[in-house]
Amino acid sequence: MTQECTATNRSAYRRTVIVGNSGSGKSWLAVRLARVVNGAVIDLDAIHWEPGGYGRRRDAEAARAMVREAAAGERWVIEGVYGWLAQEALPRATALIWLDLPEAECMANLRHRGLRGGGDEASFAALIAWAGEYRTRENANSFKAHEVMFDACARNRLRLRLRSREEILGFLASVA
């Protein structure tokens, strides 16, 4: 576990951004961490996509504004793969957690959880393939973009890079 600060008290995570590949466990961790800090969970999928599924992207400026509005709160956990949206919350974040799990594990996790949010078999297959390209794709939702965000994150906030399910569980146990 890469940790840039030794503080593990609950208030240090009162405004946390969680990024990582699809299937890495961002939503799972966000729900549990939000309980610890008594905050809201904001899923960037719900902001990136128009209501009703994963077929239509929301206007980029409207999505950015929605993230900034959510980040104006005092206690929240914002999670998602969308680095360009996560960046909007970072100025108010007290912590950044990057779930950097192997692609094979992320793809297996996706298969285990199955279809979600109005998707169909074709979109699910595309999601699994997309998760497999995490380290090779070149956009704001990639390994490289998350690494740049993590490295650039100001030293005055917690930064955690969790690389295994064991590290994720260990982190959660340390703040529970």
Side-chain angles (χ1 to χ4, degrees):
M1 175 174 13
T2 302
Q3 187 169 347
E4 296 296 322
C5 185
T6 58
T8 56
N9 64 47
R10 292 175 180 179
S11 68
Y13 296 98
R14 70 189 176 280
R15 292 189 303 271
T16 299
V17 173
I18 302 173
V19 296
N21 195 7
S22 294
S24 62
K26 298 177 305 294
S27 298
W28 182 91
L29 179 58
V31 166
R32 283 149 184 85
L33 184 57
R35 285 185 201 138
V36 169
V37 301
N38 195 29
V41 175
I42 295 97
D43 179 351
L44 293 180
D45 271 337
I47 292 174
H48 178 75
W49 300 106
E50 290 286 348
Y54 297 107
R56 292 186 359 239
R57 290 184 176 134
R58 189 178 308 274
D59 172 75
E61 286 311 310
R64 284 184 179 100
M66 290 172 73
V67 173
R68 287 190 300 270
E69 181 179 337
E74 282 306 310
R75 295 188 175 275
W76 45 259
V77 179
I78 293 177
E79 63 85 9
V81 69
Y82 306 106
W84 64 280
L85 285 175
Q87 290 282 2
E88 298 297 320
L90 280 180
R92 293 225 354 108
T94 57
L96 172 63
I97 299 173
W98 177 18
L99 301 185
D100 181 15
L101 277 63
E103 286 85 350
E105 186 173 345
C106 294
M107 293 163 66
N109 290 341
L110 289 169
R111 286 185 187 98
H112 178 73
R113 80 175 189 207
L115 288 170
R116 285 175 47 180
D120 58 24
E121 289 296 329
S123 64
F124 185 62
L127 174 63
I128 290 173
W130 191 70
E133 300 166 349
Y134 180 60
R135 291 182 202 277
T136 59
R137 65 178 177 255
E138 296 194 18
N139 61 25
N141 316 317
S142 67
F143 173 88
K144 183 165 180 57
H146 292 162
E147 183 175 49
V148 167
M149 181 188 317
F150 185 82
D151 289 345
C153 192
R155 299 280 181 199
N156 63 345
R157 84 177 47 89
L158 287 170
R159 298 186 315 162
L160 298 174
R161 183 174 181 177
L162 306 174
R163 299 175 192 243
S164 70
R165 188 70 47 215
E166 292 77 21
E167 287 186 359
I168 294 168
L169 292 171
F171 160 72
L172 198 52
S174 77
V175 296

